Amino acid sequence: MFGYRVPAPDEAMLISGGRRGLGGAPFRVVTGHGKFVLPIFRKTRFLTLSMCESEVTETCVTRQGIALHVRAVIAFKVGNDHESIINAGQRFLSDQDQMSVLTGRIFAGHLRAIIGSMTVEEIVTERQKLAAEVLDTSKTEMAKIGLIVDSLQIQSIDDGDTGYIDAMSAPHKAAIQRQAQIAQAQATQAAVEAEQVAARNQAEYARQTAVVRAEYSAEVDRAQARAAQAGPLAQAHAQQEVLDAQTELAQRQAKLRQQQLVAEVVKPAEAEAERVRILAAAEAQRMRIQAEAAASYDRVALDRMLIDQLPQIVKEAAGGLAGANVNVLNGADGLGEIAAGLVSQGLTILDSVRQNLSGQDSEGRRADDRRSDDRRSEENGGNGLLQLPTTREKRSNDGPVDVD
């Protein structure tokens, strides 16, 4: 619309030619909205409210008398309140670039004053303190011209060719270098240790890999060997089973043949032997019975014959006494003893004949009989038989017999 003006967001519109502004200012301030301005009767100007920058490069002398070249950057703008806009519009509206020049000069003066009260060590180590003091001392002056400072940065401090800052930093540099060397050595050592550990790990991994490969290879070889031996082993097992079966069959056949031989040969032979033994035993028993019967019969017959001959034997023995010169003691008792001796000799003869014929007495019995005969002989004059004189002796010894 004709005559209607609107300021930009970062501008303040100053309208002059009408009513005075706030506090008797020669213009009215409009920000954030538009306003209808009569042409010809009113004049409209715009003041920037955007951020401005000013750079300060100044040579300052410290409290120690050391010259320092200081470079700083100031960020400022016109205040948002009407009073600041009025103050800045009255001073910089026609030439707004002068705000940066004037701000730089103001801060250069405060910077020299504050650095002059500080040492190089404080300036170098406490830059933030320096910037805060400069801002604090310049705040009042900047407010008077309608400007506010957003920040102040000390970008560089240089002592030129004096080398004071370098000398001041030398111990720190040495310490830092020493620490850096130590750190480098530690880093190198750590790197070497890490390399050694890595090398050991690689060697261990290679060893384990080789072991695993060897185990795999051995397992493969064993599997191949088992596979290669599987056929011969199976054949050998099969042959062994065949041999076992044949052996078992042969054993069974041998056992069967043994049983057959036992049934066909041994049993019949044993039966025949038992039959022969029984027959032989029966025959021997029969013969023994017959022999015993015969022997018994012969002994009875012999005994009878000998008994029949006994009187003749005694008679012959008594006949030998005829004409013999025999001394008889004890009278009738002596004659009885002589007669008894004759009968005993006859019985002894009879028993000897019978034993010789039967053959049943043992050598011990014969020995006993001989001892008995010897005793009888001793009883009867020292001979087994009564010693009778022969006919010739009887003739030569003929004489009377004295009997007591």
Side-chain angles (χ1 to χ4, degrees):
M1 182 183 292
F2 181 73
Y4 190 79
R5 308 295 298 274
V6 179
D10 58 348
E11 290 180 339
M13 186 172 61
L14 306 180
I15 303 172
S16 59
R19 293 178 301 175
R20 288 185 174 271
L22 182 62
F27 48 82
R28 286 180 295 170
V29 178
V30 178
T31 58
H33 59 87
K35 194 170 182 62
F36 184 78
V37 180
L38 293 174
I40 303 172
F41 300 100
R42 304 285 188 271
K43 188 174 183 180
T44 302
R45 304 287 299 273
F46 294 94
L47 179 65
T48 180
L49 301 178
S50 61
M51 181 66 66
C52 298
E53 180 181 306
S54 178
E55 183 176 342
V56 176
T57 302
E58 192 68 25
T59 301
C60 305
V61 180
T62 64
R63 189 175 63 187
Q64 300 161 315
I66 298 173
L68 297 177
H69 301 286
V70 181
R71 180 174 176 271
V73 176
I74 304 101
F76 65 94
K77 65 182 290 294
V78 177
N80 292 327
D81 58 286
H82 285 191
E83 183 179 359
S84 297
I85 293 172
I86 291 172
N87 291 335
Q90 289 178 344
R91 292 171 176 80
F92 306 110
L93 187 58
S94 58
D95 190 1
Q96 297 185 25
D97 293 335
Q98 288 297 319
M99 288 189 293
S100 297
V101 177
L102 182 60
T103 300
R105 291 175 180 175
I106 292 172
F107 274 89
H110 290 286
L111 193 60
R112 283 195 301 270
I114 294 171
I115 288 176
S117 63
M118 298 176 65
T119 62
V120 178
E121 288 80 4
E122 293 175 347
I123 295 170
V124 173
T125 58
E126 299 179 359
R127 291 189 180 186
Q128 212 48 40
K129 179 181 177 181
L130 173 61
E133 290 183 359
V134 172
L135 286 174
D136 188 60
T137 55
S138 62
K139 185 180 297 183
T140 304
E141 294 183 20
M142 295 294 288
K144 289 180 180 179
I145 60 177
L147 301 177
I148 57 175
V149 178
D150 288 337
S151 66
L152 171 63
Q153 296 293 330
I154 306 298
Q155 291 187 337
S156 64
I157 298 174
D158 186 14
D159 60 352
D161 297 333
T162 58
Y164 186 87
I165 296 176
D166 292 338
M168 182 181 65
S169 62
H172 300 286
K173 288 182 179 180
I176 291 172
Q177 290 177 356
R178 183 171 61 253
Q179 293 176 358
Q181 291 175 357
I182 293 172
Q184 183 63 34
Q186 292 176 351
T188 303
Q189 182 179 0
V192 172
E193 291 178 355
E195 290 178 356
Q196 292 177 354
V197 171
R200 287 196 297 269
N201 292 335
Q202 290 178 356
E204 180 65 20
Y205 179 76
R207 186 187 68 81
Q208 293 178 357
T209 302
V211 170
V212 172
R213 287 179 178 175
E215 291 178 354
Y216 287 163
S217 179
E219 185 67 23
V220 171
D221 293 340
R222 287 194 294 269
Q224 291 178 352
R226 287 195 297 269
Q229 294 174 356
L233 286 175
Q235 185 176 1
H237 287 310
Q239 293 178 355
Q240 184 63 37
E241 291 178 356
V242 171
L243 291 176
D244 294 340
Q246 292 177 351
T247 302
E248 184 178 359
L249 179 60
Q251 292 176 352
R252 291 181 178 179
Q253 291 177 350
K255 187 174 181 180
L256 180 60
R257 181 56 182 165
Q258 182 180 5
Q259 294 175 354
Q260 291 176 352
L261 289 175
V262 169
E264 294 175 357
V265 177
V266 176
K267 293 297 183 180
E270 290 179 351
E272 181 64 21
E274 183 66 18
R275 187 183 68 80
V276 171
R277 186 184 65 79
I278 293 171
L279 292 176
E283 182 65 19
Q285 183 69 16
R286 186 185 63 81
M287 292 177 67
R288 184 179 63 79
I289 294 171
Q290 291 178 355
E292 289 179 354
S296 177
Y297 179 79
D298 291 340
R299 282 196 303 271
V300 170
L302 179 61
D303 290 342
R304 182 174 298 171
M305 182 184 67
L306 290 176
I307 291 170
D308 293 337
Q309 295 296 326
L310 180 59
Q312 185 63 32
I313 293 172
V314 173
K315 180 179 179 181
E316 290 294 332
L321 294 176
N325 187 13
V326 179
N327 294 322
V328 179
L329 300 179
N330 298 327
D333 294 333
L335 290 175
E337 293 178 354
I338 292 172
L342 292 174
V343 174
S344 177
Q345 286 186 1
L347 292 174
T348 299
I349 293 169
L350 178 61
D351 187 57
S352 298
V353 172
R354 188 177 54 200
Q355 288 179 358
N356 290 328
L357 290 176
S358 63
Q360 293 178 351
D361 289 345
S362 62
E363 185 65 22
R365 176 68 179 273
R366 288 195 298 271
D368 292 338
D369 293 341
R370 283 196 299 271
R371 285 194 296 268
S372 179
D373 295 339
D374 290 339
R375 285 194 301 269
R376 293 191 187 99
S377 297
E378 289 176 357
E379 293 176 354
N380 296 292
N383 293 324
L385 296 173
L386 180 64
Q387 298 294 327
L388 299 176
T390 62
T391 304
R392 287 188 295 271
E393 290 177 352
K394 183 175 65 174
R395 292 191 185 100
S396 61
N397 291 327
D398 290 339
V401 176
D402 294 330
V403 178
D404 291 334

